[in-house]
């Protein structure tokens, strides 16, 4: 399939073009992985249906639970390590732990979720990821 270019010269089919914005840009700024317009999200963590700038259909991508799994493991390990350090260093009561770690965990998860979802969608676009298919013998 031939690659198509939009007016900015971006590779429309994804993958390998140096004119595509870096995936980190999509994660941090909510930018379209094709044209770089900040149109990836319609609200804080929900994707828009498509990019009004270049027409990329975000519904074609299946980010699923990927970011949640990585964030749960990473943030869970970080909060556990910090909670143990606070416990052994300052020996606060249980209420202090609840008041400290529950809001901290929620805030860190919500802030990281947007970045993780944007990054994963951009990587799916860049690498042309899709569902696996078993080749049929002709």
């Amino acid at each position: 399939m031939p690659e198509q270019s939009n007016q900015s010269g971006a590779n429309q089919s994804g993958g390998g073009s140096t004119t595509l914005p870096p995936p980190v840009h999509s994660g941090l700024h909510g930018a379209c992985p094709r044209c770089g317009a900040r149109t990836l999200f319609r609200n804080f963590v929900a994707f828009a249906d498509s990019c009004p700038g270049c027409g990329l259909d975000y519904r074609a991508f299946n980010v699923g639970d990927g970011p949640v799994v990585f964030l749960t493991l990473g943030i869970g390990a970080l909060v556990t390590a910090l909670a143990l350090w606070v416990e052994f260093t300052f020996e606060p009561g249980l209420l202090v732990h609840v008041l400290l770690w529950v809001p901290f965990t929620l805030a860190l998860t919500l802030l990281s979720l947007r970045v993780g979802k944007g990054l994963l969608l951009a990587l799916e676009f860049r690498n042309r990821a899709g569902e696996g298919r078993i080749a049929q013998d002709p």
Side-chain angles (χ1 to χ4, degrees), residues 1-83:
M1 176 161 93
E3 295 178 354
Q4 301 170 349
S5 295
N6 63 12
Q7 293 171 350
S8 65
N11 179 351
Q12 300 246 353
S13 61
S17 174
T18 58
T19 59
L20 293 173
V24 172
H25 183 70
S26 293
L28 292 175
H29 301 291
C32 173
R34 181 190 290 164
C35 69
R38 294 184 178 195
T39 60
L40 191 58
F41 295 98
R42 71 175 138 87
N43 62 31
F44 190 69
V45 293
F47 289 120
D49 290 335
S50 63
C51 177
C54 67
L56 179 63
D57 185 11
Y58 300 138
R59 295 172 294 189
F61 298 98
N62 183 16
V63 173
D65 293 334
V68 176
V69 171
F70 290 117
L71 293 174
T72 300
L73 293 171
I75 292 172
L78 175 68
V79 169
T80 301
L82 290 173

Side-chain angles (χ1 to χ4, degrees), residues 24 26-30 41 43-46 67-68 70-72 75 78 102-120:
V24 172
S26 293
L28 292 175
H29 301 291
F41 295 98
N43 62 31
F44 190 69
V45 293
V68 176
F70 290 117
L71 293 174
T72 300
I75 292 172
L78 175 68
V102 170
F104 178 75
T105 304
L106 286 174
L108 198 57
T109 302
L110 288 175
L111 293 173
S112 302
L113 186 59
R114 181 178 169 100
V115 174
K117 286 178 75 170
L119 178 65
L120 198 56

Side-chain angles (χ1 to χ4, degrees), residues 87-111:
E87 176 61 32
F88 292 129
T89 303
F90 304 109
E91 298 181 11
L94 181 61
L95 184 59
V96 172
H97 279 293
V98 170
L99 293 175
L100 180 64
W101 301 117
V102 170
F104 178 75
T105 304
L106 286 174
L108 198 57
T109 302
L110 288 175
L111 293 173

